[in-house]
Amino acid sequence: MRKMLAIISNVLRGSASRNGARVVVSARTYADFTPQASFDIKKCDLYKLEEGPPLQAVLTREEGLQYYRTMQIIRRMELKSDILYKQRAIRGFCHLYDGEEACAVGIEAAIKRSDHLITSYRSHGYTYTRGGTVREIMAELTGRRGGIAKGKGGSMHMYTKNFYGGNGIVGAQVPLGAGVAFSCKYLGTKDLCVCIYGDGAANQGQIFETYNMASLWKLPCIFVCENNKYAMGTSIERGASSTDYYKRGEFIPGLRVDGMDVLCVREATKFAAEHCRSGKGPILMELQTYRFHGHSMTDPGVSYRTREEVHDMRSKSDPITLLKDRMVSNNMVSVEELKEIDVEVKKEVEDAAEFATTDPEPPLEELCNNIFYNEPPMEVRGTSPWIKFKSVS
């Protein structure tokens, strides 16, 4: 058997050529890899909790490959969006998510598809993990008919089933998320709502009002503060008297989590979800993360932090590199297999970008469609009484 595998390996590693370049094909089979491994993860800081998530996480090979591919899709999609923005194919506000991929992927790995999620304007990654396609997201960014919101939402307003955006007003999604959690409790579905906001929004009054209501009614809501250390260009130390965001709920228990580790985020979210589903009410998670881009595409990101700081975070805390190193060092995957995934991801994003720049824009007559759900067609006044549009649900 070994001799036969050796012969096959030599054949596969022969002088195959594609486009003039030598191709090396790995002959390793699924049986050669470790199917499952346990990893130590960072202990979460706890508030009003006697115990927290486990200090070890079990990862299967299939899960690892899925997480790696999803994070690479988000990373490559955001980097391509950067290019398209600079080419003026994408206009207006555009907030990129590269560096924070472990948050979106870890949360999604721990909740159900029937659960609900709402976030801020930095929403591209969550749109993808909640079921949107790269093609739909890229086309929405360029304002095309094939976009996930038919080209009328843009970067900040994307939606899928059980995903409520993408909200442009800072902090406004938090009370909306509590409303979704209220509907889960009222209808008795045993589902929950993950409500995500940033460290800048954490100082908003409406968030504290929502904490109070959610606690009183024991709503199944996971409040998630994505602490990327800067509220636009203001560091958390300059903008908050207390940077212990996981304690901000006061009467709501909280966790502070390593948001650069997808396994740490996954285990913490599982713990939080079980807390909510058991009827104990809301819980607060602070995910300590970092964005590699500036606040938005108009922010170079180096006027309030140094290039050295960004480089240090990229080199030491990249969530994709952390997962890759874990899997390779534990013989769960080969470097060649990950490179193949990288090639597939790049092609998928490039094809989506091509579609996003060639698909037609939505026609003007559809401008006022979908104002109301399931209503008869109605007339909508334009910028003057003489301009009329028709709205179709």
Side-chain angles (χ1 to χ4, degrees):
M1 184 65 179
R2 288 183 179 176
K3 186 175 181 181
M4 185 180 295
L5 286 173
I7 293 171
I8 294 171
S9 177
N10 288 333
V11 171
L12 290 174
R13 292 179 183 274
S15 54
S17 176
R18 185 181 300 153
N19 298 329
R22 181 177 173 83
V23 179
V24 178
V25 182
S26 173
R28 297 174 72 183
T29 65
Y30 176 80
D32 295 327
F33 296 111
T34 304
Q36 181 175 294
S38 296
F39 298 96
D40 293 332
I41 55 176
K42 185 178 178 181
K43 183 179 180 180
C44 296
D45 295 321
L46 307 179
Y47 175 70
K48 288 189 176 296
L49 291 166
E50 293 184 1
E51 59 180 32
L55 301 181
Q56 277 201 333
V58 175
L59 178 71
T60 66
R61 172 180 149 83
E62 290 76 15
E63 288 171 341
L65 291 174
Q66 178 191 346
Y67 301 163
Y68 180 83
R69 179 183 174 82
T70 305
M71 288 198 288
Q72 279 288 33
I73 282 276
I74 297 171
R75 176 70 57 85
R76 180 67 65 173
M77 185 170 63
E78 297 297 64
L79 295 180
K80 189 63 179 180
S81 298
D82 174 281
I83 294 171
L84 292 177
Y85 195 94
K86 290 170 180 174
Q87 293 173 346
R88 298 189 176 184
I90 298 173
R91 300 295 187 100
F93 294 107
C94 186
H95 306 83
L96 302 184
Y97 199 66
D98 51 315
E100 301 186 32
E101 296 91 350
C103 299
V105 176
I107 288 172
E108 188 61 38
I111 62 175
K112 303 182 298 184
R113 275 297 184 189
S114 59
D115 289 326
H116 309 268
L117 191 146
I118 188 168
T119 189
S120 67
Y121 40 76
R122 203 178 303 279
S123 61
H124 309 163
Y126 287 104
T127 307
Y128 181 73
T129 58
R130 287 267 81 190
T133 66
V134 181
R135 188 179 170 108
E136 290 172 328
I137 294 167
M138 297 296 288
E140 190 59 43
L141 286 167
T142 56
R144 305 304 173 111
R145 181 185 284 179
I148 201 162
K150 301 181 180 179
K152 297 192 287 184
S155 172
M156 299 191 293
H157 305 287
M158 300 185 186
Y159 311 92
T160 64
K161 185 174 176 59
N162 297 330
F163 174 62
Y164 307 88
N167 290 266
I169 305 300
V170 175
Q173 71 275 16
V174 179
L176 295 178
V180 174
F182 175 78
S183 75
C184 293
K185 181 167 185 175
Y186 184 80
L187 297 172
T189 61
K190 292 296 181 182
D191 294 324
L192 55 82
C193 183
V194 181
C195 185
I196 301 160
Y197 54 96
D199 50 274
N203 298 320
Q204 289 255 330
Q206 60 186 324
I207 291 180
F208 293 92
E209 294 177 50
T210 305
Y211 288 162
N212 182 58
M213 191 187 315
S215 181
L216 278 172
W217 294 346
K218 293 192 179 303
L219 300 183
C221 188
I222 304 176
F223 295 106
V224 179
C225 176
E226 284 186 327
N227 175 11
N228 60 28
K229 297 180 172 55
Y230 295 94
M232 296 182 70
T234 303
S235 67
I236 57 173
E237 292 80 13
R238 293 180 59 216
S241 296
S242 170
T243 57
D244 291 334
Y245 296 103
Y246 71 111
K247 296 180 179 179
R248 290 282 192 96
E250 189 176 351
F251 27 73
I252 297 175
L255 303 162
R256 181 155 58 191
V257 184
D258 181 359
M260 303 302 273
D261 181 351
V262 66
L263 297 183
C264 203
V265 175
R266 186 191 71 180
E267 295 306 310
T269 308
K270 284 182 179 179
F271 177 88
E274 176 58 32
H275 176 94
C276 290
R277 295 192 210 282
S278 64
K280 296 177 182 177
I283 191 169
L284 201 161
M285 289 202 310
E286 175 190 343
L287 304 184
Q288 293 188 314
T289 185
Y290 197 84
R291 51 174 165 80
F292 293 159
H293 263 83
H295 170 72
S296 67
M297 279 303 299
T298 57
D299 169 24
V302 291
S303 59
Y304 50 86
R305 57 185 187 178
T306 63
R307 294 183 188 275
E308 290 74 23
E309 177 185 312
V310 179
H311 178 267
D312 189 59
M313 290 298 294
R314 284 181 180 272
S315 60
K316 296 179 181 178
S317 301
D318 189 315
I320 299 177
T321 303
L322 174 61
L323 178 63
K324 175 183 176 180
D325 291 346
R326 275 176 167 164
M327 294 185 69
V328 171
S329 62
N330 283 270
N331 192 38
M332 300 182 76
V333 69
S334 67
V335 174
E336 291 78 16
E337 187 174 4
L338 294 179
K339 285 181 179 178
E340 289 172 6
I341 293 174
D342 294 345
V343 171
E344 293 170 3
V345 164
K346 182 178 180 180
K347 184 180 186 307
E348 183 176 351
V349 173
E350 290 297 330
D351 289 348
E354 176 66 22
F355 172 75
T357 51
T358 55
D359 190 50
E361 295 180 355
L364 183 62
E365 55 267 24
E366 292 183 9
L367 178 66
C368 293
N369 282 359
N370 311 117
I371 293 176
F372 294 106
Y373 170 72
N374 201 25
E375 287 287 326
M378 57 182 287
E379 275 197 348
V380 179
R381 197 190 108 162
T383 53
S384 74
W386 301 276
I387 298 176
K388 301 279 188 179
F389 295 99
K390 181 174 284 189
S391 176
V392 180
S393 295

Short mmCIF file of all heavy atoms in Angstrom, two decimals, residues 138-174:
data_model
loop_
_atom_site.label_atom_id
_atom_site.label_comp_id
_atom_site.label_asym_id
_atom_site.label_seq_id
_atom_site.Cartn_x
_atom_site.Cartn_y
_atom_site.Cartn_z
N MET A 138 -20.75 42.82 -3.12
CA MET A 138 -19.95 43.70 -3.96
C MET A 138 -20.84 44.56 -4.87
O MET A 138 -20.58 45.75 -5.07
CB MET A 138 -18.97 42.88 -4.80
CG MET A 138 -17.93 42.10 -4.01
SD MET A 138 -16.81 43.14 -3.07
CE MET A 138 -15.81 43.83 -4.36
N ALA A 139 -21.90 43.95 -5.41
CA ALA A 139 -22.82 44.70 -6.27
C ALA A 139 -23.57 45.77 -5.49
O ALA A 139 -23.90 46.83 -6.03
CB ALA A 139 -23.79 43.75 -6.96
N GLU A 140 -23.84 45.50 -4.22
CA GLU A 140 -24.50 46.52 -3.39
C GLU A 140 -23.55 47.69 -3.14
O GLU A 140 -23.97 48.85 -3.13
CB GLU A 140 -24.96 45.91 -2.07
CG GLU A 140 -25.86 46.82 -1.24
CD GLU A 140 -27.12 47.22 -2.00
OE1 GLU A 140 -27.73 46.36 -2.66
OE2 GLU A 140 -27.48 48.41 -1.93
N LEU A 141 -22.29 47.38 -2.92
CA LEU A 141 -21.30 48.43 -2.70
C LEU A 141 -21.19 49.37 -3.89
O LEU A 141 -20.96 50.57 -3.73
CB LEU A 141 -19.94 47.80 -2.40
CG LEU A 141 -19.78 47.17 -1.01
CD1 LEU A 141 -18.52 46.32 -0.94
CD2 LEU A 141 -19.76 48.23 0.08
N THR A 142 -21.36 48.83 -5.10
CA THR A 142 -21.27 49.67 -6.30
C THR A 142 -22.63 50.19 -6.75
O THR A 142 -22.73 50.85 -7.78
CB THR A 142 -20.62 48.88 -7.46
OG1 THR A 142 -21.36 47.67 -7.69
CG2 THR A 142 -19.17 48.53 -7.13
N GLY A 143 -23.68 49.88 -5.99
CA GLY A 143 -25.01 50.41 -6.29
C GLY A 143 -25.65 49.81 -7.52
O GLY A 143 -26.29 50.52 -8.30
N ARG A 144 -25.52 48.50 -7.70
CA ARG A 144 -26.06 47.85 -8.89
C ARG A 144 -27.31 47.04 -8.57
O ARG A 144 -27.58 46.67 -7.43
CB ARG A 144 -24.99 46.94 -9.50
CG ARG A 144 -23.68 47.65 -9.83
CD ARG A 144 -23.89 48.85 -10.75
NE ARG A 144 -22.67 49.63 -10.92
CZ ARG A 144 -22.00 49.69 -12.07
NH1 ARG A 144 -22.43 49.00 -13.12
NH2 ARG A 144 -20.91 50.44 -12.15
N ARG A 145 -28.05 46.73 -9.63
CA ARG A 145 -29.35 46.05 -9.48
C ARG A 145 -29.21 44.69 -8.79
O ARG A 145 -30.10 44.26 -8.07
CB ARG A 145 -29.99 45.89 -10.86
CG ARG A 145 -31.36 45.22 -10.83
CD ARG A 145 -31.88 44.97 -12.23
NE ARG A 145 -32.35 46.19 -12.86
CZ ARG A 145 -32.85 46.23 -14.11
NH1 ARG A 145 -32.88 45.13 -14.83
NH2 ARG A 145 -33.29 47.36 -14.62
N GLY A 146 -28.11 44.01 -9.01
CA GLY A 146 -27.90 42.69 -8.42
C GLY A 146 -27.42 42.72 -6.99
O GLY A 146 -27.08 41.68 -6.43
N GLY A 147 -27.37 43.89 -6.38
CA GLY A 147 -26.93 44.01 -4.99
C GLY A 147 -27.92 43.40 -4.02
O GLY A 147 -29.10 43.18 -4.35
N ILE A 148 -27.47 43.15 -2.81
CA ILE A 148 -28.30 42.46 -1.82
C ILE A 148 -29.49 43.31 -1.38
O ILE A 148 -30.50 42.80 -0.92
CB ILE A 148 -27.44 42.02 -0.62
CG1 ILE A 148 -28.13 40.90 0.15
CG2 ILE A 148 -27.08 43.19 0.28
CD1 ILE A 148 -27.22 40.11 1.06
N ALA A 149 -29.40 44.63 -1.55
CA ALA A 149 -30.53 45.52 -1.30
C ALA A 149 -30.94 46.21 -2.60
O ALA A 149 -31.40 47.35 -2.61
CB ALA A 149 -30.20 46.55 -0.22
N LYS A 150 -30.71 45.51 -3.72
CA LYS A 150 -31.08 45.97 -5.06
C LYS A 150 -30.38 47.26 -5.46
O LYS A 150 -30.87 48.05 -6.26
CB LYS A 150 -32.60 46.14 -5.17
CG LYS A 150 -33.37 44.85 -4.88
CD LYS A 150 -34.87 45.03 -5.03
CE LYS A 150 -35.60 43.72 -4.74
NZ LYS A 150 -37.07 43.86 -4.86
N GLY A 151 -29.20 47.48 -4.85
CA GLY A 151 -28.41 48.65 -5.22
C GLY A 151 -28.84 49.94 -4.55
O GLY A 151 -28.30 51.01 -4.85
N LYS A 152 -29.77 49.88 -3.61
CA LYS A 152 -30.30 51.10 -2.99
C LYS A 152 -29.85 51.29 -1.54
O LYS A 152 -30.20 52.27 -0.91
CB LYS A 152 -31.84 51.10 -3.06
CG LYS A 152 -32.37 51.11 -4.49
CD LYS A 152 -33.84 51.41 -4.56
CE LYS A 152 -34.68 50.25 -4.09
NZ LYS A 152 -36.13 50.51 -4.26
N GLY A 153 -29.07 50.34 -1.01
CA GLY A 153 -28.64 50.45 0.38
C GLY A 153 -27.20 50.89 0.52
O GLY A 153 -26.87 51.66 1.40
N GLY A 154 -26.35 50.37 -0.35
CA GLY A 154 -24.94 50.72 -0.26
C GLY A 154 -24.24 50.02 0.89
O GLY A 154 -24.75 49.06 1.48
N SER A 155 -23.07 50.53 1.24
CA SER A 155 -22.20 49.88 2.22
C SER A 155 -22.86 49.66 3.58
O SER A 155 -22.65 48.63 4.21
CB SER A 155 -20.93 50.72 2.39
OG SER A 155 -20.15 50.23 3.45
N MET A 156 -23.65 50.62 4.04
CA MET A 156 -24.13 50.57 5.42
C MET A 156 -25.49 49.90 5.59
O MET A 156 -25.94 49.70 6.72
CB MET A 156 -24.21 51.99 5.98
CG MET A 156 -22.88 52.71 6.03
SD MET A 156 -22.95 54.24 6.99
CE MET A 156 -24.01 55.26 5.97
N HIS A 157 -26.16 49.56 4.49
CA HIS A 157 -27.54 49.07 4.60
C HIS A 157 -27.72 47.80 3.79
O HIS A 157 -28.25 47.81 2.67
CB HIS A 157 -28.52 50.15 4.16
CG HIS A 157 -28.35 51.44 4.90
ND1 HIS A 157 -28.72 51.59 6.22
CD2 HIS A 157 -27.79 52.61 4.54
CE1 HIS A 157 -28.43 52.82 6.63
NE2 HIS A 157 -27.86 53.45 5.63
N MET A 158 -27.27 46.69 4.35
CA MET A 158 -27.41 45.38 3.73
C MET A 158 -28.21 44.48 4.65
O MET A 158 -28.07 44.56 5.87
CB MET A 158 -26.03 44.77 3.46
CG MET A 158 -25.14 45.61 2.56
SD MET A 158 -23.60 44.74 2.18
CE MET A 158 -22.71 46.02 1.29
N TYR A 159 -29.02 43.61 4.07
CA TYR A 159 -29.92 42.79 4.87
C TYR A 159 -30.03 41.39 4.27
O TYR A 159 -29.98 41.21 3.06
CB TYR A 159 -31.32 43.42 4.93
CG TYR A 159 -31.30 44.88 5.28
CD1 TYR A 159 -31.25 45.85 4.29
CD2 TYR A 159 -31.30 45.29 6.61
CE1 TYR A 159 -31.20 47.20 4.60
CE2 TYR A 159 -31.27 46.64 6.94
CZ TYR A 159 -31.21 47.60 5.93
OH TYR A 159 -31.16 48.91 6.26
N THR A 160 -30.18 40.40 5.14
CA THR A 160 -30.54 39.04 4.72
C THR A 160 -31.55 38.52 5.74
O THR A 160 -31.90 39.22 6.69
CB THR A 160 -29.31 38.10 4.69
OG1 THR A 160 -28.79 37.95 6.02
CG2 THR A 160 -28.22 38.60 3.77
N LYS A 161 -31.98 37.29 5.57
CA LYS A 161 -32.96 36.72 6.50
C LYS A 161 -32.37 36.69 7.91
O LYS A 161 -31.25 36.21 8.12
CB LYS A 161 -33.34 35.30 6.06
CG LYS A 161 -34.43 34.67 6.91
CD LYS A 161 -34.87 33.34 6.34
CE LYS A 161 -35.89 32.65 7.24
NZ LYS A 161 -37.11 33.44 7.46
N ASN A 162 -33.11 37.23 8.86
CA ASN A 162 -32.71 37.31 10.27
C ASN A 162 -31.47 38.18 10.50
O ASN A 162 -30.81 38.07 11.53
CB ASN A 162 -32.47 35.91 10.87
CG ASN A 162 -33.73 35.07 10.87
OD1 ASN A 162 -34.84 35.60 10.96
ND2 ASN A 162 -33.58 33.76 10.75
N PHE A 163 -31.16 39.03 9.53
CA PHE A 163 -30.06 40.00 9.67
C PHE A 163 -30.60 41.38 9.31
O PHE A 163 -31.06 41.60 8.18
CB PHE A 163 -28.89 39.63 8.77
CG PHE A 163 -27.78 40.67 8.76
CD1 PHE A 163 -27.10 40.98 9.93
CD2 PHE A 163 -27.43 41.33 7.60
CE1 PHE A 163 -26.10 41.93 9.93
CE2 PHE A 163 -26.41 42.28 7.59
CZ PHE A 163 -25.75 42.57 8.75
N TYR A 164 -30.53 42.32 10.25
CA TYR A 164 -31.23 43.59 10.12
C TYR A 164 -30.28 44.76 9.88
O TYR A 164 -30.54 45.89 10.28
CB TYR A 164 -32.09 43.82 11.38
CG TYR A 164 -32.99 42.64 11.68
CD1 TYR A 164 -32.54 41.58 12.46
CD2 TYR A 164 -34.26 42.56 11.12
CE1 TYR A 164 -33.35 40.47 12.69
CE2 TYR A 164 -35.08 41.45 11.36
CZ TYR A 164 -34.61 40.42 12.14
OH TYR A 164 -35.41 39.32 12.37
N GLY A 165 -29.17 44.47 9.21
CA GLY A 165 -28.24 45.55 8.86
C GLY A 165 -27.20 45.76 9.92
O GLY A 165 -27.30 45.25 11.02
N GLY A 166 -26.29 46.52 9.50
CA GLY A 166 -26.15 47.67 8.64
C GLY A 166 -27.05 48.81 9.09
O GLY A 166 -28.10 49.01 8.48
N ASN A 167 -26.61 49.63 10.10
CA ASN A 167 -27.34 50.83 10.50
C ASN A 167 -26.38 52.02 10.55
O ASN A 167 -25.33 51.95 11.17
CB ASN A 167 -27.99 50.63 11.87
CG ASN A 167 -29.14 49.64 11.82
OD1 ASN A 167 -30.30 50.00 11.67
ND2 ASN A 167 -28.81 48.36 11.92
N GLY A 168 -26.77 53.10 9.88
CA GLY A 168 -25.87 54.24 9.74
C GLY A 168 -25.81 55.16 10.95
O GLY A 168 -24.83 55.89 11.11
N ILE A 169 -26.83 55.15 11.79
CA ILE A 169 -26.85 56.04 12.96
C ILE A 169 -26.15 55.34 14.12
O ILE A 169 -26.50 54.23 14.50
CB ILE A 169 -28.30 56.40 13.36
CG1 ILE A 169 -29.05 57.01 12.17
CG2 ILE A 169 -28.29 57.34 14.56
CD1 ILE A 169 -28.43 58.27 11.61
N VAL A 170 -25.16 56.00 14.68
CA VAL A 170 -24.33 55.40 15.72
C VAL A 170 -25.18 54.98 16.92
O VAL A 170 -25.88 55.79 17.52
CB VAL A 170 -23.23 56.38 16.18
CG1 VAL A 170 -22.44 55.79 17.35
CG2 VAL A 170 -22.30 56.70 15.03
N GLY A 171 -25.15 53.70 17.24
CA GLY A 171 -25.86 53.17 18.41
C GLY A 171 -27.32 52.88 18.20
O GLY A 171 -27.95 52.24 19.06
N ALA A 172 -27.91 53.31 17.09
CA ALA A 172 -29.36 53.19 16.91
C ALA A 172 -29.81 51.74 16.79
O ALA A 172 -30.98 51.42 17.05
CB ALA A 172 -29.81 53.96 15.67
N GLN A 173 -28.89 50.85 16.39
CA GLN A 173 -29.27 49.45 16.23
C GLN A 173 -29.49 48.74 17.56
O GLN A 173 -30.12 47.67 17.61
CB GLN A 173 -28.19 48.70 15.43
CG GLN A 173 -26.87 48.45 16.16
CD GLN A 173 -25.91 49.64 16.07
OE1 GLN A 173 -26.30 50.74 15.72
NE2 GLN A 173 -24.65 49.40 16.37
N VAL A 174 -28.99 49.32 18.67
CA VAL A 174 -29.08 48.63 19.96
C VAL A 174 -30.52 48.52 20.45
O VAL A 174 -30.99 47.42 20.77
CB VAL A 174 -28.16 49.30 20.99
CG1 VAL A 174 -28.27 48.60 22.34
CG2 VAL A 174 -26.70 49.27 20.50
#
